[in-house]
Amino acid sequence: MPDRRRIAARLDELWGIARGPRGGADRPAYSSAEAEATRRVAAWATELGLEPAIDPHGNLWALPGGWKGPVVTSGSHLDTVPDGGRYDGALGTALGLELVADLAAATANLPARPGLLVCAAEEAPRFGAGTIGSRLLVGSLHPAELADLRDAGGVSAAEALARYLRELADLPRCRPATDRLRAHAEVHVATRRALRELGVVTRVASPRRLVIELTGESGHAGEVAMDERRDALVAAAEIVLAVEAAAREEPDQTVATVGTAEVAPGAISVIPGQVTLGVDARAIDAASLDRLEAAIRARAADIAARRGIGVEVRLTRAGTPTALDGELARAALRAAGELGITAETTWSGSGHDAQHLIALAPTLLMFVPLHGGESHTPQEGADLDEIVAAARIVAAVMARV
Ligand SMILES: [Zn+2]
């Protein structure tokens, strides 16, 4: 049985690491604060008889000492968004430790032994790209690409990773145990308020990102008549509304956001000649996402043509929705039923390591409902009874893998 007091104590301790000035957790990807939290978790893993070690991507593996056979892992991440919450990542990591303790006896005679896998650099804000550790692990992100990801201070993810590994020099190094991995489970605090029960995630959206470059003609704001203008920003304004309208025509789980807009020359008395928009589109249904992308491209072309504006649309991230392992999800719902715990299937609009790790082994992703504040804020809340219930479900599933 998962120990609720130990879970609460570990969450408290992780919450105490690198608290920022606004009250939240500030543990950016590949930072000293993430390293400190990782070292703390490694110490707890050692107490459980695991052998913690760091792989070349900064991920923490804590596997049974001396064991060379197959493993089932659980865990989440330890970095946070700026001013982040108590549970995001920390919850799944604290539960991963608890599951190892809980499963050790139950799985003593099974072929796969339980371990902990905590993926590094999961949150996107520092480098503009998330789930770095897990994507490096499965090969969907290449180490050479880390040189191009830079934070606001100009530090590349490659430099940050090298520094991160130096800071964790006191921990042993390991090769990723990807070939021994038989299953992985991640419990995460829900990122959507609408979820009121424990959620077994069956599909995860992944962002598809487009950059729309609009080229009109700059001119004096006082001297060019209205019908002589080729104003790139008014075309952009129409395109922003068209993106919203196109997403509204799709199912509720399909969304699109124009999150960035750069205007050049960006002067109060100059007609904008150049605008660059950044679009993030997500869906859990691939056909819907494809339709949305096509609609955005077509409408941007129409609007630009009508206004005499040049337009170029570039795909910068070709995300597509991921289905998680159906068998593990069904096993989780069955286990919930047997334990008398209410759980429902759900989906995720935000990215998680589990959606990448499925390239290595079946993965289970479970959400614990949010209580109180929003996800990615210091007010983010969760209920300890529901956390323990999620751990019991995952333990039941993993004991049968
Ligand atoms: Zn998270």
Side-chain angles (χ1 to χ4, degrees):
M1 185 78 175
D3 185 328
R4 56 181 290 146
R5 279 180 49 199
R6 194 165 46 198
I7 295 169
R10 285 181 174 154
L11 285 170
D12 273 348
E13 222 177 294
L14 291 172
W15 181 230
I17 297 174
R19 293 284 289 287
R22 287 169 294 170
D26 272 325
R27 302 196 296 269
Y30 288 149
S31 65
S32 302
E34 186 186 4
E36 188 185 337
T38 299
R39 193 176 290 107
R40 193 80 54 97
V41 169
W44 290 330
T46 305
E47 289 168 15
L48 287 172
L50 301 172
E51 284 177 353
I54 304 292
D55 76 16
H57 316 303
N59 302 308
L60 169 67
W61 296 80
L63 303 180
W67 176 249
K68 296 279 174 269
V71 292
V72 291
T73 55
S74 178
S76 188
H77 61 95
L78 287 166
D79 62 324
T80 67
V81 297
D83 206 28
R86 174 193 282 261
Y87 299 97
D88 187 349
L91 168 60
T93 303
L95 284 193
L97 288 160
E98 205 54 39
L99 286 164
V100 171
D102 209 44
L103 281 171
T107 56
N109 298 314
L110 291 177
R113 299 273 170 88
L116 180 76
L117 169 58
V118 179
C119 292
E122 194 268 351
E123 298 286 3
R126 183 173 181 192
F127 296 109
T131 55
I132 290 177
S134 58
R135 287 192 292 140
L136 288 167
L137 208 51
V138 303
S140 60
L141 181 68
H142 193 272
E145 293 176 71
L146 297 186
D148 300 326
L149 301 175
R150 292 193 179 268
D151 69 10
V155 177
S156 75
E159 293 162 334
L161 169 58
R163 198 176 303 164
Y164 186 73
L165 293 174
R166 279 199 302 278
E167 285 193 59
L168 291 173
D170 50 327
L171 290 178
R173 289 294 117 105
C174 67
R175 285 189 334 144
T178 48
D179 49 341
R180 297 165 59 198
L181 193 63
R182 292 296 174 269
H184 178 77
E186 178 172 8
V187 178
H188 203 279
V189 67
T191 36
R192 195 172 60 252
R193 296 189 63 91
L195 185 74
R196 297 322 314 157
E197 309 284 354
L198 287 178
V200 177
V201 181
T202 54
R203 297 188 77 83
V204 185
S206 174
R208 186 167 298 180
R209 296 198 173 123
L210 301 168
V211 169
I212 304 179
E213 304 249 27
L214 299 163
T215 307
E217 194 175 16
S218 293
H220 196 297
E223 300 293 353
V224 184
M226 293 310 288
D227 57 5
E228 287 170 3
R229 296 183 181 207
R230 290 168 54 226
D231 184 327
L233 184 56
V234 287
E238 271 198 64
I239 289 170
V240 172
L241 294 174
V243 168
E244 185 196 34
R248 280 183 185 277
E249 289 161 18
E250 293 295 328
D252 284 351
Q253 298 92 338
T254 300
V255 292
T257 308
V258 179
T260 59
E262 286 162 37
V263 181
I268 188 73
S269 59
V270 183
I271 297 164
Q274 190 90 35
V275 173
T276 306
L277 300 177
V279 184
D280 175 303
R282 303 181 192 211
I284 54 169
D285 173 41
S288 172
L289 188 59
D290 289 343
R291 272 197 308 272
L292 177 59
E293 182 189 342
I296 291 170
R297 286 176 179 274
R299 289 176 203 189
D302 282 353
I303 292 164
R306 183 158 41 75
R307 290 183 167 275
I309 302 284
V311 61
E312 196 200 328
V313 181
R314 278 184 290 121
L315 184 70
T316 56
R317 184 158 171 197
T320 192
T322 313
L324 295 179
D325 190 71
E327 211 167 300
L328 286 186
R330 279 190 295 277
L333 292 169
R334 218 177 312 127
E338 287 163 12
L339 294 165
I341 299 167
T342 313
E344 61 185 59
T345 59
T346 188
W347 53 278
S348 177
S350 52
H352 293 284
D353 292 316
Q355 92 206 58
H356 303 294
L357 297 176
I358 196 163
L360 304 174
T363 58
L364 172 67
L365 176 62
M366 282 199 61
F367 281 168
V368 173
L370 265 175
H371 288 282
E374 294 282 355
S375 164
H376 280 182
T377 74
Q379 289 77 35
E380 174 191 85
D383 178 81
L384 200 53
D385 288 333
E386 287 175 331
I387 290 171
V388 171
R392 292 178 66 202
I393 294 171
V394 176
V397 172
M398 297 311 246
R400 291 174 204 158
V401 167

